Amino acid sequence: MEAGVMGDAIVVQRGVSAPAWWITGVALFAAGIWGLPLIESTQFENHFFGLFYYSILAGIVLFWALPSEQRFENGQFERRFCLLGLLVLWKKTTPLSAFSEIHFEQDPNLFRKDTVWVILSGTGDEGERFAFANFSATASNMAKAQALAEALSQATGLPIKTHESAGLAE
């Protein structure tokens, strides 16, 4: 076990645990049903547009069906992509020793609240970076990001760069 790691601590951030993932799934299902008249029609033109509609919908469903999951377990950070959040299709593992701090980064958005990222960084400009989670920059989500960073800090022993020193707007 690496220095600073507390026991068998596990911290997980899953895409399928967000209500937006489930709402999007229901909306995609509804979009699939909505397009049925295109392929059930007797006109060739409708079949062509139906094929186009469902091919685009299939691409969107593919991205939706592969949510990411980030976790820290046994001194390793791991990013996985799972089919419907259940079957692991791809994963990348990075050791804790590649990182030296936990900090926050804020990306501006034009049409909605900014996005706040919980990031793990290595030393120097060329150090390893690992985006553990992202949140919409609301007061409640900032508290969630802070709580997640604190859980990661306790599990890993890495220090947290605070909101004030990271320059985040509340």
Side-chain angles (χ1 to χ4, degrees), residues 35-50:
L36 283 176
L38 290 173
I39 59 172
E40 292 176 344
S41 171
T42 58
Q43 295 180 347
F44 175 75
E45 295 85 10
N46 288 350
H47 288 236
F48 175 77
F49 291 120

Side-chain angles (χ1 to χ4, degrees), residues 10-42:
I10 299 172
V11 180
V12 178
Q13 177 70 23
R14 302 184 73 195
V16 296
S17 61
W21 188 80
W22 292 96
I23 292 168
T24 302
V26 170
L28 289 171
F29 181 75
I33 292 174
W34 183 79
L36 283 176
L38 290 173
I39 59 172
E40 292 176 344
S41 171
T42 58

